Amino acid sequence: MKILLVAEKDSTRESLLHHLRPRGFDLIHYRHPIKAMDNIDEIEPEVVFFSAEDFPRHWKPFIKLF
């Protein structure tokens, strides 16, 4: 299962990898929300984690797109 993470902090990525990698999940990490929005059709994630703390102005348009 593909999981898309849109977050600026590496600590968020490391925390998710710690819990999800042993269960067989693939994590794709973007630090730039616009690039993630551009590539979401190619990635086709089943789950998205989006840091509204890191990108307070981008989460609403991202949710509409997803």
Side-chain angles (χ1 to χ4, degrees), residues 26-56:
D26 293 323
L27 182 72
I28 301 165
H29 181 204
Y30 277 88
R31 289 183 177 85
H32 302 285
I34 303 301
K35 289 183 181 180
M37 291 170 79
D38 287 343
N39 294 330
I40 198 163
D41 289 335
E42 296 170 14
I43 298 168
E44 296 180 347
E46 285 86 12
V47 177
V48 174
F49 289 103
F50 193 100
S51 176
E53 180 182 0
D54 293 341
F55 308 109

Side-chain angles (χ1 to χ4, degrees), residues 6-42:
V6 183
E8 194 170 27
K9 300 174 189 167
D10 285 331
S11 60
T12 306
R13 181 179 62 86
E14 294 302 321
S15 179
L16 284 174
L17 281 174
H18 175 74
H19 294 288
L20 298 175
R21 186 175 281 163
R23 291 170 175 79
F25 292 101
D26 293 323
L27 182 72
I28 301 165
H29 181 204
Y30 277 88
R31 289 183 177 85
H32 302 285
I34 303 301
K35 289 183 181 180
M37 291 170 79
D38 287 343
N39 294 330
I40 198 163
D41 289 335
E42 296 170 14

